[in-house]
Amino acid sequence: MYQHILVPLDGSELAECVLPHVKSIALGCAVVKITLIRGVTPLHLRGGLESHIAPEERERIEKQAMDNAREYLEKIAAQLKDGGVAAVTEVIFGNIIDSIIDYVDKTGVDLIIIATHGRSGASRWVWGSVADRILRSACVPVMMVRPAGCAPGI
């Protein structure tokens, strides 16, 4: 049924709670492609202080962030491969939600599996939810996984 699954990861253990689900669906549905994706946003410091950083230094910092994201995804891909599931990796730069939705539209992703941090109430309102925004923006099914031990709430 699903041919290309996209798995957004933010580098946290919580986000990785989706991996057993990804593995089960991939093996059970004979998925052709799994893409692990991580976004890196442009350097931003409170009060616009990033404008005081030399362009070369800013570029170096952002490149290092991209390299770190790539290394992280490769580590996760290797873990999946050890479990019999092959995955490719993709690091995107820019606004995370817009970049993920653009990637979905351009590459034929037909399912997104993403963890939700399970925030509710005021903290969700203040911090927002990347998973929620992807759910509302994507034109493909989105499977949201809550971490073990989360508490129910609104």
Side-chain angles (χ1 to χ4, degrees):
M1 174 174 198
Y2 298 112
Q3 299 299 303
H4 186 185
I5 297 175
L6 184 69
V7 183
L9 296 169
D10 65 6
S12 70
E13 285 185 28
L14 185 141
E16 294 171 18
C17 77
V18 302
L19 298 176
H21 300 276
V22 170
K23 184 177 174 183
S24 293
I25 291 170
L27 295 173
C29 295
V31 172
V32 173
K33 185 175 184 181
I34 296 171
T35 301
L36 306 176
I37 194 167
R38 183 158 181 200
V40 174
T41 56
L43 179 65
H44 175 74
L45 302 173
R46 199 171 273 184
L49 293 176
E50 69 276 0
S51 64
H52 298 293
I53 297 174
E56 303 81 26
E57 181 64 10
R58 183 178 183 153
E59 186 177 314
R60 187 194 65 74
I61 292 169
E62 291 172 344
K63 181 186 180 309
Q64 182 63 51
M66 297 282 288
D67 291 344
N68 291 345
R70 196 169 292 106
E71 288 174 22
Y72 165 75
L73 290 177
E74 291 298 332
K75 182 185 88 174
I76 300 298
Q79 292 172 3
L80 286 173
K81 185 176 181 182
D82 289 345
V85 176
V88 298
T89 63
E90 186 73 36
V91 177
I92 52 177
F93 185 80
N95 176 287
I96 303 297
I97 287 95
D98 292 343
S99 297
I100 288 173
I101 297 305
D102 286 346
Y103 185 88
V104 168
D105 292 343
K106 291 176 183 172
T107 61
V109 167
D110 51 16
L111 175 65
I112 301 169
I113 303 178
I114 188 169
T116 176
H117 288 254
R119 290 186 184 106
S120 62
S123 107
R124 182 176 183 191
W125 180 76
V126 170
W127 295 108
S129 167
V130 170
D132 228 24
R133 290 165 49 201
I134 288 173
L135 173 68
R136 296 180 197 294
S137 301
C139 293
V140 300
V142 177
M143 177 179 171
M144 295 174 71
V145 177
R146 293 195 70 176
C150 72
I154 51 173

